[in-house]
Amino acid sequence: HVQLVESGGGLVQPGGSLRLTCTASGRTYSSYCMGWFRQALGKEREGVAAIKTGGGSTDYADSVKGRFAISQDNAKKTVFLEMNSLKSEDTAEYYCVARYSAPCGLRVAFGNWGQGTQVTVS
């Protein structure tokens, strides 16, 4: 059973920055792909960023390119989302996701989800 625990959400002013952290536990081997999705009130869930944990290749939503950066610490089974130049439209619940097989990207299905952390830009 995989557990994904997120932290780092909060309230920030427009133009500010936040760093989200997600740590995976429950499996002895590392994930193949980790990422972040978000869901704002009244809107559909959308993929934000994903990273192939072995090779480091990344995938970003167009809405966050140039502002957000996903990175990893494989030894700690941890993935980070650095969010800069935050906008009000970035307000959402952010979920950490993981999968343990190929492929990796925002358009694949993730079977493991965290509980979410709220990010409010206001």
Side-chain angles (χ1 to χ4, degrees):
H1 177 66
V2 177
Q3 275 195 315
L4 301 173
V5 179
E6 305 104 329
S7 62
L11 174 64
V12 64
Q13 293 183 342
S17 299
L18 277 176
R19 188 193 200 203
L20 303 184
T21 300
C22 172
T23 300
S25 62
R27 289 200 182 186
T28 57
Y29 53 94
S30 297
S31 61
Y32 183 86
C33 179
M34 293 185 74
W36 296 90
F37 278 64
R38 67 185 180 185
Q39 187 165 23
L41 280 175
K43 295 188 177 181
E44 291 189 359
R45 189 169 57 195
E46 65 170 339
V48 176
I51 186 166
K52 184 179 175 184
T53 53
S57 60
T58 57
D59 188 15
Y60 292 96
D62 288 342
S63 58
V64 306
K65 281 180 182 176
R67 301 188 299 122
F68 289 14
I70 189 169
S71 59
Q72 61 185 320
D73 181 338
N74 280 341
K76 296 181 179 179
K77 298 181 181 178
T78 298
V79 64
F80 308 97
L81 185 68
E82 192 75 38
M83 305 186 293
N84 299 308
S85 303
L86 283 161
K87 306 174 182 179
S88 57
E89 49 263 46
D90 295 317
T91 295
E93 188 82 7
Y94 283 70
Y95 298 91
C96 178
V97 295
R99 56 181 286 129
Y100 288 79
S101 60
C104 184
L106 293 179
R107 292 166 183 77
V108 302
F110 286 86
N112 302 283
W113 291 73
Q115 292 298 306
T117 185
Q118 178 68 35
V119 171
T120 302
V121 184
S122 176

